[in-house]
Amino acid sequence: MKNLSDQEIIDSVLKGNESDYSIIVDRYKDKAFSMLKRMLKSDFDAEEVLQDCFLKAYYSLKSFKGEAKFSTWFYKIVYNTALTKLSSKKRKIELEMSSVEDHFSLKSDYDSVDVEKKDLSKFMHEIINKLPERYSVVVSLFYLNEMSVEEISEVLQISVSNVKVMLYRARNSLRDLILSSKLAKEII
Amino acid sequence: MIKITDDILNKYLDGELNPEESKQVRTELQTSRDLQKKFNTLKLVHETLLNLAEDEVSADFTSNIMSKIGHKKFVVPRQQKYFIFSIAAFITILCLVIFGFSISAIISTSSPPSESLNVVDTVTVLSSGLIDFIKHLFSGKGLSILGSVFSLVIIISGYFFFEMQKRAKADLGNGHHL
């Protein structure tokens, strides 16, 4: 059952086997949680919003026509629900103001960071959370959720070139941080 | 010769450059130590991100979701479908009975056809028959039957309207407003 495609599981749920929806939940919960955690900067809010997203998706399954992949459709729900949550926290204006054209720098937060190769993964986790919301969402969707830039552009409702710009900037920013750390000596 | 910018390095990493551009980048990387350092670090970032572990939700997350979904169904219950169908059938039969009754009333009140009767006379006879039937329907016993039928239809419609309202409210409560 676990090897079934998303569409096959959805068909089964729509036929009345509602317990099959738990396969979908298990399949996407951690990936979507990682994305939400980075957007909302809170474990509690992320889990609450994620519950809401799975319920929304369940009650809207009939409207899912299979034109796009289920994952794209679902992450669109996740992203929009997170935006609503952010706006309720009066942070949407902030988010919208941080457009693709805005530049950001993580250097001020990590001026003299001493990161070693063994800590790199942990350090990266921490740094991604410091990225502006939309940048961390792009990084999460691209790396954790293994989505293509085309799929990400559909989820975020922005152009493919803007997704690429955001991805490159996020990577460059992380690279510059590492280059200014002790780890740079090991890489050379 | 292309200028090796950060964007070019990112595109090279993602394999988005054409063979000619890729060759140029490779040559530059072999000659410039600074560029090599930049690219190696970018590659390290890319590889670390690829192996980044997912965050995990609480252990009972799935069971919580499934219990919330519970017995609610998003399809119209079969029972409700049958009920709607039976109401539609009842109204159709009622219309057919009224129509049939009116036709028979018209025929019974009209005089036997004669050769002298022209089209105008036939219409006059038929219309007077129809008027008599309507008069009969809206007077005394006929009116009370008609009233009962309409009351029944109104009560049934009211029940469905109430059910629809309840359903819409429940849907909104579940965030079904995408």
Side-chain angles (χ1 to χ4, degrees):
Chain A
M1 196 69 182
K2 303 231 171 193
N3 296 326
L4 290 176
S5 70
D6 289 345
Q7 190 58 58
E8 285 169 321
I9 297 166
I10 291 161
D11 289 343
S12 170
V13 174
L14 289 173
K15 277 178 192 160
N17 304 316
E18 59 189 42
S19 61
D20 287 352
Y21 190 65
S22 64
I23 304 169
I24 291 278
V25 176
D26 284 336
R27 198 170 278 183
Y28 289 101
K29 63 181 181 184
D30 291 336
K31 285 181 166 64
F33 179 64
S34 303
M35 171 184 159
L36 282 169
K37 211 177 132 180
R38 282 177 190 118
M39 271 187 91
L40 303 171
K41 320 284 185 205
S42 150
D43 283 23
F44 180 79
D45 285 348
E47 195 156 325
E48 193 186 57
V49 168
L50 188 57
Q51 274 204 11
D52 192 26
C53 294
F54 276 117
L55 290 173
K56 270 185 186 177
Y58 178 80
Y59 290 110
S60 311
L61 268 189
K62 262 177 81 178
S63 67
F64 173 65
K65 305 290 178 204
E67 286 153 0
K69 276 162 104 179
F70 172 78
S71 54
T72 309
W73 180 78
F74 176 65
Y75 286 123
K76 215 186 263 185
I77 294 177
V78 174
Y79 181 68
N80 289 330
T81 313
L83 284 186
T84 310
K85 180 74 178 180
L86 283 174
S87 74
S88 72
K89 284 179 156 185
K90 310 275 178 201
R91 289 182 54 204
K92 196 182 178 184
I93 301 161
E94 231 176 88
L95 181 74
E96 281 174 348
M97 282 169 76
S98 70
S99 69
V100 181
E101 298 309 316
D102 290 343
H103 289 267
F104 64 91
S105 173
L106 298 170
K107 279 197 170 176
S108 54
D109 293 339
Y110 296 88
D111 266 340
S112 55
V113 64
D114 286 342
V115 57
E116 289 179 29
K117 209 163 186 175
K118 59 180 182 206
D119 304 324
L120 192 60
S121 187
K122 197 176 158 195
F123 173 68
M124 215 64 104
H125 249 292
E126 198 187 317
I127 299 297
I128 296 168
N129 288 336
K130 298 278 178 188
L131 288 170
E133 284 90 349
R134 295 219 295 182
Y135 287 81
S136 57
V137 168
V138 169
V139 170
S140 292
L141 290 175
F142 189 78
Y143 285 104
L144 282 172
N145 304 18
E146 293 161 10
M147 290 176 88
S148 66
V149 284
E150 287 78 14
E151 286 168 334
I152 298 172
S153 82
E154 206 179 312
V155 170
L156 305 190
Q157 304 280 291
I158 56 174
S159 67
V160 170
S161 56
N162 276 347
V163 173
K164 283 183 184 172
V165 166
M166 290 166 97
L167 183 67
Y168 295 170
R169 278 189 194 158
R171 271 184 198 159
N172 292 339
S173 182
L174 295 168
R175 179 201 60 193
D176 293 344
L177 260 182
I178 292 173
L179 279 174
S180 63
S181 73
K182 275 184 177 177
L183 187 64
K185 286 174 194 162
E186 283 184 49
I187 297 164
I188 299 166
Chain B
M1 195 71 182
I2 51 163
K3 195 185 170 207
I4 314 289
T5 59
D6 281 347
D7 271 10
I8 294 289
L9 282 182
N10 272 284
K11 282 181 181 167
Y12 178 68
L13 188 69
D14 289 341
E16 286 187 4
L17 296 179
N18 63 42
E20 181 57 36
E21 288 169 330
S22 294
K23 196 179 164 191
Q24 282 184 35
V25 173
R26 264 197 304 275
T27 314
E28 282 291 315
L29 281 173
Q30 279 166 357
T31 53
S32 166
R33 196 175 163 77
D34 226 31
L35 203 64
Q36 210 174 65
K37 188 174 141 188
K38 266 186 163 184
F39 179 71
N40 285 345
T41 318
L42 198 66
K43 204 172 159 195
L44 179 73
V45 167
H46 177 68
E47 281 161 4
T48 311
L49 288 173
L50 276 174
N51 295 315
L52 217 57
E54 290 168 1
D55 296 289
E56 286 181 13
V57 288
S58 56
D60 56 352
F61 182 82
T62 306
S63 55
N64 280 344
I65 295 275
M66 295 315 289
S67 68
K68 280 189 180 170
I69 287 169
H71 303 292
K72 286 181 185 176
K73 296 231 173 190
F74 43 79
V75 288
V76 180
R78 194 172 284 180
Q79 218 176 3
Q80 197 176 329
K81 271 184 189 170
Y82 286 149
F83 199 49
I84 293 169
F85 179 74
S86 59
I87 292 297
F90 172 71
I91 292 170
T92 312
I93 290 166
L94 194 72
C95 290
L96 285 174
V97 167
I98 293 172
F99 182 69
F101 188 71
S102 58
I103 292 292
S104 68
I106 290 164
I107 291 166
S108 64
T109 50
S110 61
S111 54
S114 66
E115 279 178 21
S116 61
L117 222 59
N118 58 22
V119 178
V120 179
D121 290 331
T122 312
V123 171
T124 313
V125 168
L126 283 175
S127 58
S128 65
L130 190 66
I131 289 162
D132 284 344
F133 169 69
I134 292 168
K135 269 183 190 171
H136 174 72
L137 205 64
F138 287 96
S139 61
K141 208 176 172 182
L143 188 65
S144 61
I145 292 169
L146 201 68
S148 308
V149 170
F150 270 107
S151 306
L152 189 69
V153 170
I154 286 166
I155 289 167
I156 291 164
S157 312
Y159 166 76
F160 276 105
F161 185 70
F162 176 69
E163 280 296 311
M164 272 169 60
Q165 288 266 335
K166 226 168 66 175
R167 213 178 159 77
K169 269 188 185 175
D171 281 350
L172 273 174
N174 287 319
H176 189 183
H177 54 276
L178 290 170

